[in-house]
Amino acid sequence: MTSGKADRGPSAPEPAGSEATTSLRAWSVLLLNRTHQSTVVLSSYGLGLFLPFVQADLDLSYLEIGILQAVWWGTPAVLLVPFSLLFARFNPNRRVLAALALMAPCLFSQGLALGFWTLLASRFLTVLVHASMAPARPLLLRWWAAPRQYSNVTSIGLSMHSTFMAAALTFGPIIIVVLDSWRLAYFVQGALMAGHLLVWAALTWGAREPAQVPEDVVAPAPSQDVPAESAVAEPNARPPLVRSLVSYPHAWLLGVVMLWLSASWTTILTFLPTILEQHRGIAITSGSVLFGFLYYVLIPGALAGSWIFNHITNRRLLVLLPAALNLAATVGAVLSGNVVIAALALTGLGIAWVFVPAMEILPFEFRNIRTREVSVLSGLVQTFGAVGFGAGPVIAGALAQMTGSLVTGVLAVGAMTALAVVAAAALPGRFGGRLA
């Protein structure tokens, strides 16, 4: 059997993933890809910032507003796994390029919306394109980054995302007031994505074809009976990608953890200001300032993700710690009776997400896994996250409606995050593979 290197021919360069360090060009590509996702997310969080202006201009009902947000989380929840299966065999550089080319006009179209239906259609198309691009991240990591630096890339990416989102949530309303138009704010977002398209095209132009790299087994299982090179089978001898969804049950456990991390995050963001004002006597202005602790702690804290990944070698503990911290912080935030306790609880909620970069690359350590299978499992975990972001406030709101108590509804979601602890505890200490 010939090796992947022999298949590429003697004149073909080694893939970036086989190098000891990640080049400056590779860093630029990977961090720009993270910035793409941060920019798109503003179409979700930005709706809340734009809402007073949009609602007045388009005369939206509260039901229509709910539908506009629901389509943002519902679409990826349905399509992330199918898209990761469908597009896994395509060049990830070109996948992102095509998505950016489609994304920019979709973002512009939100600013051109004439009513509910046109705004709904533009948001659906935007998140549809985003869902097609999101599972490409593991493929980009495998192609551009050195395996030992996967955790560094994801940690710095989360820190950048936190900085971007903190600035956007802080200054977004001011920018809209200065521009005196929510439509211009969407146009600025579209122009930013068009700029991403040009930079991405320049950075990835002439990049080495990654067709063989995703077939690599990135975490071969040590074995005395089977030679290491035999772990890489011929592509036509490998099981179909969809089999990875049942071959690696650990990914489902990681998904459950991400579901409740996401559910508690959006539930707290949605309802805590009301609870603090109506039940704890904390003014809504103070409550708004408190939410800065969710992101500000992530700006420096996310950089610790690489250290966490390298030093907490027990993978069960690596996932159990954020799950337990998330449970305690969510319940603490709901029960907090003063600003100091609320600030500490929200800081704890943010610290739990410091572990997310390390959790994102754990599938690379699954036994005998291919990069394309990692992409599929990444889509699965992201699906759980999307469901959590959308379902958390819905569950809390429904329970609040039934019991007549918002505190009860939100506290119930906080208690449900114990399921994340159970899922984390069911993981093994080692996955049986290693990064290449």
Side-chain angles (χ1 to χ4, degrees), residues 58-120:
L58 300 183
D59 192 27
L60 300 175
S61 69
Y62 288 114
L63 174 61
E64 289 172 335
I65 293 168
I67 294 173
L68 288 171
Q69 279 292 61
V71 75
W72 188 267
W73 298 114
T75 302
V78 172
L79 294 176
L80 274 172
V81 171
F83 279 174
S84 62
L85 289 167
L86 182 63
F87 298 125
R89 297 188 179 279
F90 291 91
N91 183 318
N93 298 328
R94 295 171 186 168
R95 274 178 63 181
V96 174
L97 183 66
L100 293 175
L102 295 171
M103 188 82 70
C106 288
L107 291 172
F108 274 112
S109 68
Q110 293 187 74
L112 296 172
L114 300 176
F116 167 71
W117 290 107
T118 51
L119 183 56
L120 179 65

Side-chain angles (χ1 to χ4, degrees), residues 225-248:
D225 301 324
V226 182
E229 63 271 15
S230 68
V232 184
E234 296 296 336
N236 59 7
R238 302 292 299 186
L241 290 176
V242 71
R243 285 280 300 277
S244 61
L245 296 173
V246 295
S247 299
Y248 299 100

Side-chain angles (χ1 to χ4, degrees), residues 22-44:
T22 303
S23 68
L24 178 61
R25 179 189 184 189
W27 273 103
S28 301
V29 168
L30 294 168
L31 294 181
L32 179 61
N33 177 248
R34 192 64 167 95
T35 309
H36 302 334
Q37 300 179 45
S38 301
T39 304
V40 176
V41 164
L42 279 179
S43 282
S44 173

Side-chain angles (χ1 to χ4, degrees), residues 51-388:
L51 190 55
F53 309 92
V54 178
Q55 187 175 21
D57 193 7
L58 300 183
D59 192 27
L60 300 175
S61 69
Y62 288 114
L63 174 61
E64 289 172 335
I65 293 168
I67 294 173
L68 288 171
Q69 279 292 61
V71 75
W72 188 267
W73 298 114
T75 302
V78 172
L79 294 176
L80 274 172
V81 171
F83 279 174
S84 62
L85 289 167
L86 182 63
F87 298 125
R89 297 188 179 279
F90 291 91
N91 183 318
N93 298 328
R94 295 171 186 168
R95 274 178 63 181
V96 174
L97 183 66
L100 293 175
L102 295 171
M103 188 82 70
C106 288
L107 291 172
F108 274 112
S109 68
Q110 293 187 74
L112 296 172
L114 300 176
F116 167 71
W117 290 107
T118 51
L119 183 56
L120 179 65
S122 63
R123 284 176 67 79
F124 171 73
L125 292 174
T126 300
V127 73
L128 183 71
V129 175
H130 176 57
S132 72
M133 176 178 66
R137 194 189 309 177
L139 300 178
L140 292 170
L141 269 177
R142 179 62 175 162
W143 181 246
W144 288 98
R148 293 180 181 274
Q149 294 184 317
Y150 288 175
S151 57
N152 299 77
V153 173
T154 53
S155 297
I156 293 175
L158 178 60
S159 180
M160 287 179 52
H161 172 75
S162 303
T163 304
F164 186 90
M165 292 305 300
L169 293 174
T170 301
F171 300 110
I174 299 174
I175 294 172
I176 297 172
V177 171
V178 171
L179 294 175
D180 194 28
S181 173
W182 63 271
R183 297 181 186 276
L184 283 178
Y186 274 120
F187 294 157
V188 169
Q189 189 180 356
L192 182 61
M193 191 60 74
H196 287 182
L197 169 65
L198 297 177
V199 176
W200 183 266
L203 285 173
T204 60
W205 183 264
R208 298 185 292 267
E209 175 63 44
Q212 278 77 26
V213 175
E215 292 293 347
D216 291 347
V217 174
V218 297
S223 172
Q224 296 178 347
D225 301 324
V226 182
E229 63 271 15
S230 68
V232 184
E234 296 296 336
N236 59 7
R238 302 292 299 186
L241 290 176
V242 71
R243 285 280 300 277
S244 61
L245 296 173
V246 295
S247 299
Y248 299 100
H250 303 325
W252 292 84
L253 295 174
L254 290 174
V256 171
V257 174
M258 286 303 302
L259 185 151
W260 291 110
L261 287 178
S262 304
S264 59
W265 181 277
T266 52
T267 300
I268 290 296
L269 279 175
T270 303
F271 294 117
L272 187 60
T274 302
I275 291 176
L276 291 177
E277 184 176 51
Q278 295 182 359
H279 300 276
R280 307 289 183 254
I282 300 175
I284 194 70
T285 51
S286 300
S288 299
V289 172
L290 285 173
F291 286 114
F293 288 91
L294 287 170
Y295 281 111
Y296 296 143
V297 72
L298 276 173
I299 295 172
L303 299 177
S306 178
W307 184 92
I308 290 170
F309 182 82
N310 292 324
H311 287 78
I312 304 181
T313 56
N314 184 316
R315 297 323 194 190
R316 181 192 299 114
L317 183 61
L318 183 69
V319 182
L320 187 60
L321 285 174
L325 180 57
N326 184 76
L327 171 61
T330 302
V331 174
V334 178
L335 297 179
S336 59
N338 59 65
V339 174
V340 175
I341 296 176
L344 290 174
L346 290 171
T347 300
L349 201 62
I351 292 174
W353 282 76
V354 169
F355 290 78
V356 169
M359 290 168 56
E360 286 182 347
I361 59 176
L362 285 182
F364 278 103
E365 295 187 350
F366 290 175
R367 185 185 299 269
N368 290 341
I369 194 167
R370 293 174 293 167
T371 307
R372 285 183 175 133
E373 292 174 321
V374 175
S375 179
V376 172
L377 298 182
S378 173
L380 175 67
V381 174
Q382 290 176 41
T383 296
F384 274 93
V387 172

